[in-house]
């Protein structure tokens, strides 16, 4: 089912040289700038509408995550350098915002507070004021930080010990709730619902959990986890990690990308898949919807699921133009 | 209570002599009726595994998946094999799809989507069990009807001159009971979207278990193998059974089983890959298995990324 329908999938012509770790569209509707971090120690910004490389922020070490601030001018990135670095693409200025003791694995920008949250393998999450370059909160967690996301009023952190800590962003000293083993296998990606009511969490074992913050029995009853990104290879059911999740900001549907080179778009509320793109050349490492929800950026890079490979497939950045009907929840179309 | 022995219908019978009220069986299914042994139906639970050997279950010609109900089979075919990948319209037959693609999307397709090699010819008109070429039915019939002499239930002997499985393997011989032990026709939606409700009823695997030694599934404790994964997605047994009339015997070259392959690969990724590559895997294969360390951490150890250096600098740092 090669779902390469007429809707345009455009491949960016100058992709990074090494594996892509993250792609993020600018948070402003109508701005199709795409921020891309890579193991080749660069953060690039592309104008995807014109297929143009607009700027490069060079690190000394591989970059594991990046995020825009309020618009596509400024970004924050971090990685193996252990530093949280800010960059202004217009001024071409780098600023060191702060440090961790080990690599910075995840970075998210919280719009409501303007803070940037960084999670590291050193077992801490730090909140940064990017203007004053000060650390406003330093949260110790048990285990390495693998996943992190924010809503307007919460910070959610997932660790290598398979714990999920949910903080109230007004009080980052103590987690509001802690959840043990929401999934039984290593966490790969966490994204909160656009409405801030819950989150989707994916693991290395081809599974995604759909959870709510609300602890009432009613909400909890609607929680579930489902299997995905599995296929049968030579008669063996093969389970791939789900590396990437991305929510559609307007419709609340979400896309998932896995080691099987597939992207699926789901309606989490009615537990239905809307469509899928199969057979990309390698693992899907990251996904991002544009702010207006009309584009989906897909990064395709080998994710080291099976260790070192001499000749990994080439890295690709694909931007797919979406019809509204592609991402609208099922019930609305019916 | 007795059930329609034609098995395509599965509806309760009103009397064992009268024909099934529901299944107005097409020609191909009449063959099934001939093949089946005299009905002996005591309760559904215990009879299940025996009946399996008696009759041909409805199966998908294109992907060899078995179904309990022909209606579900038709749904499956429409969703998997007759669906337009562009507009997701479901057609009734493969030729329908070809015409649709040509007329609506100006695209020529030469293969039925998701079909096994050799069965992807869109000119063969199959709908449900109708139109399945006779040799496929016969092969299945012969297979199913073969007397499985005392206790040799799990697929019986190896017919058709297939190599005898090494002595260490019998436990892992695919059992035809497995896929069809999946009880509901309703399993279909689970397969479609991959969604699984937490309240899924326990699989009645007992029937199969009695007959076949428990499969050495890696990490059986972690993921119940019966949880629809294998049976829901693919019938491993059916696809692997030799002599089913698949041209070339599909992926069962002689001597395919390297020794030690059944060892559950638990500890590291490479082992899992190695064991699964033999193609004989029972239970799922995890592409990434390490629990305590992420792929990024492993990759960071490559000298070219100089992570140790960066960490040392950070420790000495500001």
């Amino acid at each position: 089912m090669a779902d390469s329908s007429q809707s345009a999938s455009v491949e960016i012509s100058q992709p990074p040289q090494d594996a892509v770790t993250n792609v993020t569209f600018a948070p402003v509707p109508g701005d199709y700038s795409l921020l891309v971090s890579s193991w080749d120690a660069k953060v690039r910004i592309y104008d995807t509408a014109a297929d143009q490389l607009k700027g490069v922020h060079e690190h000394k070490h591989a970059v594991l995550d990046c995020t825009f601030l309020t618009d596509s001018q400024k970004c924050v990135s971090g990685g193996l350098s252990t530093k949280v670095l800010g960059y202004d693409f217009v001024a071409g200025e780098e600023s060191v915002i702060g440090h961790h003791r080990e690599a910075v694995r995840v970075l998210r920008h919280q719009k409501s507070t303007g803070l940037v949250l960084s999670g590291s393998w050193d077992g801490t999450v730090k909140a940064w004021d990017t203007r004053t370059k000060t650390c406003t909160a330093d949260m110790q967690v048990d285990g390495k930080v693998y996943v992190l996301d924010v809503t307007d009023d919460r910070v959610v952190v997932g660790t290598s010990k398979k714990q999920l800590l949910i903080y109230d962003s007004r009080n980052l000293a103590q987690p509001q709730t802690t959840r043990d083993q929401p999934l039984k296998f290593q966490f790969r990606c966490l994204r909160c619902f656009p409405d801030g009511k819950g989150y989707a969490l994916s693991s290395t074992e081809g599974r995604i959990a759909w959870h709510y913050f609300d602890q009432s029995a009613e909400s909890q009853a609607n929680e579930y986890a489902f299997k995905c990104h599995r296929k049968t290879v030579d008669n063996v059911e093969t389970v791939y990690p789900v590396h990437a999740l991305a929510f559609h900001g307007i419709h609340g549907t979400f896309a998932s990308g896995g080691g099987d080179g597939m992207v699926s778009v789901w309606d989490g509320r009615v537990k239905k898949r809307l469509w899928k793109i199969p057979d990309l050349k390698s693992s899907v490492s990251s996904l991002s919807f544009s702010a207006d929800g009309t584009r989906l950026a897909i990064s395709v890079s080998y994710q080291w699921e099976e260790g070192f490979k001499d000749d990994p497939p080439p890295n690709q950045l694909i931007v797919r133009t979406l019809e509204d009907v592609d991402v609208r929840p099922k019930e609305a179309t019916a | 209570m007795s059930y329609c022995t034609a098995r395509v219908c599965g509806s309760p019978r009103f009397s064992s002599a009268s024909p099934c009220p529901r299944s107005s069986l097409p020609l191909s299914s009449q063959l099934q009726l001939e093949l089946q042994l005299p009905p002996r139906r005591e309760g559904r639970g215990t009879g299940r595994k025996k009946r399996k050997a008696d009759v041909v279950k409805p199966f998908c010609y294109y992907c060899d998946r078995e179904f309990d109900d022909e209606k579900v089979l038709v749904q499956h075919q429409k969703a998997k094999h007759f669906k337009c990948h562009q507009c997701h319209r479901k057609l009734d037959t493969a030729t329908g799809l070809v015409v649709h693609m040509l007329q609506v999307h100006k695209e020529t397709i030469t293969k039925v989507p998701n079909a096994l090699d050799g069965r992807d010819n869109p000119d063969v008109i199959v709908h449900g069990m109708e139109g399945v070429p006779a040799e496929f039915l016969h092969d299945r019939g012969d297979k199913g009807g073969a007397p499985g002499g005392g206790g040799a239930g799990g697929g019986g002997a190896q017919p058709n001159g297939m190599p005898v499985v090494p002595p260490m393997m019998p436990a892992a011989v695919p059992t035809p009971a497995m896929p069809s032990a999946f009880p509901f026709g309703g399993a279909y939606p689970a397969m479609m979207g991959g969604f699984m409700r937490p309240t899924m009823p326990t699989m009645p695997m007992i029937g199969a278990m009695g007959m076949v030694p428990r499969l050495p599934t890696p990490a059986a404790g972690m993921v119940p193998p019966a949880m629809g994964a294998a049976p829901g997605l693919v019938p491993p047994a059916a696809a692997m059974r030799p002599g089913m009339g698949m041209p070339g015997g599909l992926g069962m070259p002689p001597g395919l089983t390297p020794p030690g392959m059944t060892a559950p690969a638990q500890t590291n990724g490479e082992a899992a890959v190695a064991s699964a590559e033999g193609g004989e895997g029972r239970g799922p294969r995890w592409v990434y298995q390490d629990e305590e360390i992420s792929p990024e951490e492993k990759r960071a150890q490559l000298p070219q990324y100089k992570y140790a250096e960066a960490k040392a600098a950070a420790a000495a740092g500001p």
Side-chain angles (χ1 to χ4, degrees), chain B residues 22-36:
Chain B
R22 253 181 72 198
S23 57
S24 47
L25 293 169
L27 186 88
S28 58
S29 308
Q30 287 170 16
L31 180 67
Q32 298 174 342
L33 289 167
E34 287 165 27
L35 288 167
Q36 83 204 19

Side-chain angles (χ1 to χ4, degrees), chain A residues 2 18 146 235 271 306, chain B residues 85 195 240 285 291 297 305:
Chain A
D18 204 344
Y146 280 168
N235 223 36
K271 309 183 184 177
E306 293 168 338
Chain B
H85 68 257
F195 280 112
M240 279 300 274
R285 168 199 158 214
E291 281 303 290
E297 287 164 272
Y305 295 123

